[in-house]
Amino acid sequence: GESVGLHLPTLSVQEGDNSIINCAYSNSASDYFIWYKQESGKGPQFIIDIRSNMDKRQGQRVTVLLNKTVKHLSLQIAATQPGDSAVYFCAEKDSNYQLIWGAGTKLIIKP
Amino acid sequence: KAGVTQTPRYLIKTRGQQVTLSCSPISGHRSVSWYQQTPGQGLQFLFEYFSETQRNKGNFPGRFSGRQFSNSRSEMNVSTLELGDSALYLCASSLAGQVQNEQYFGPGTRLTVT
């Protein structure tokens, strides 16, 4: 079946360095992907999205890369700050027009 | 503009009981989606309501149900609670749908079943 997963459950990054969070998806027909950030005690918050007709999309300090050949999605966070500490989820729009969520990656910022 | 609100924030129930959770979307948003979040499972989609109609449904048993009112407020109900229903239940609202527009999440209701 369709599934979205993450390569690493926990990622530790030095403050100021760049972070890269990866996500694999299995449905080659998926055409829309979203990254969400969830801080402790809060609901997920939209970060950035990308459609399958794009390979790259940039936001403020964040970049999402889509590699359809290997069905891989990544979120890059530039100059990681303490406020970036959170769990990051990728989500994929499936054929039933629902969002299928990955299990999440916890990003830890080291001072 | 007020964000998505969910009540109650915390709830403790015993097995076999039923529970009703409430969600008030952002003003003007007509779509409300519900998710169950458990450690290790991520977010599992329950259902989506738009203009008082269930538009989409995830793979949950019939014990999980929901509804939406004319003011777009939504409730979800879980009957005959099981221990495995312990989770954070999140509600998200959007203008027209979970994939058409950006979703805004509430803080969730933490349900503990004992």
Side-chain angles (χ1 to χ4, degrees), chain A residues 38 43-44 96-99 101, chain B residues 37 45 56-57 98-99 105:
Chain A
Q38 186 175 24
N96 293 320
Y97 218 55
Q98 296 177 14
L99 285 181
W101 293 64
Chain B
Q37 185 175 27
F45 172 72
N56 235 327
K57 189 177 188 302
Q98 61 173 309
V99 293
F105 282 82

Side-chain angles (χ1 to χ4, degrees), chain B residues 1-89:
Chain B
K1 184 187 276 191
V4 178
T5 58
Q6 292 186 246
T7 56
R9 291 294 310 279
Y10 303 92
L11 204 51
I12 299 175
K13 291 285 189 178
T14 56
R15 277 184 301 175
Q17 288 186 311
Q18 72 161 9
V19 67
T20 299
L21 312 181
S22 180
C23 171
S24 293
I26 291 172
S27 177
H29 285 191
R30 297 168 65 189
S31 167
V32 173
S33 295
W34 288 90
Y35 296 86
Q36 181 194 68
Q37 185 175 27
T38 55
Q41 289 289 322
L43 275 77
Q44 304 289 316
F45 172 72
L46 281 155
F47 25 67
E48 179 189 7
Y49 286 86
F50 181 81
S51 293
E52 302 179 65
T53 300
Q54 188 180 87
R55 185 158 68 175
N56 235 327
K57 189 177 188 302
N59 296 322
F60 277 81
R63 299 186 297 109
F64 292 82
S65 62
R67 59 177 175 169
Q68 187 179 33
F69 302 95
S70 58
N71 62 357
S72 292
R73 190 177 71 84
S74 178
E75 289 181 346
M76 69 161 281
N77 183 277
V78 187
S79 62
T80 319
L81 283 165
E82 301 176 359
L83 294 178
D85 296 333
S86 294
L88 180 68
Y89 290 88

Side-chain angles (χ1 to χ4, degrees), chain A residues 19-56:
Chain A
S19 301
I20 300 176
I21 302 170
N22 296 304
C23 180
Y25 63 95
S26 60
N27 186 356
S28 57
S30 295
D31 61 359
Y32 181 62
F33 305 87
I34 311 175
W35 281 100
Y36 280 88
K37 170 187 180 182
Q38 186 175 24
E39 297 174 274
S40 181
K42 298 181 179 179
Q45 179 183 9
F46 174 92
I47 302 173
I48 192 168
D49 60 359
I50 188 168
R51 299 201 177 274
S52 59
N53 61 353
M54 302 173 69
D55 297 323
K56 179 179 178 179

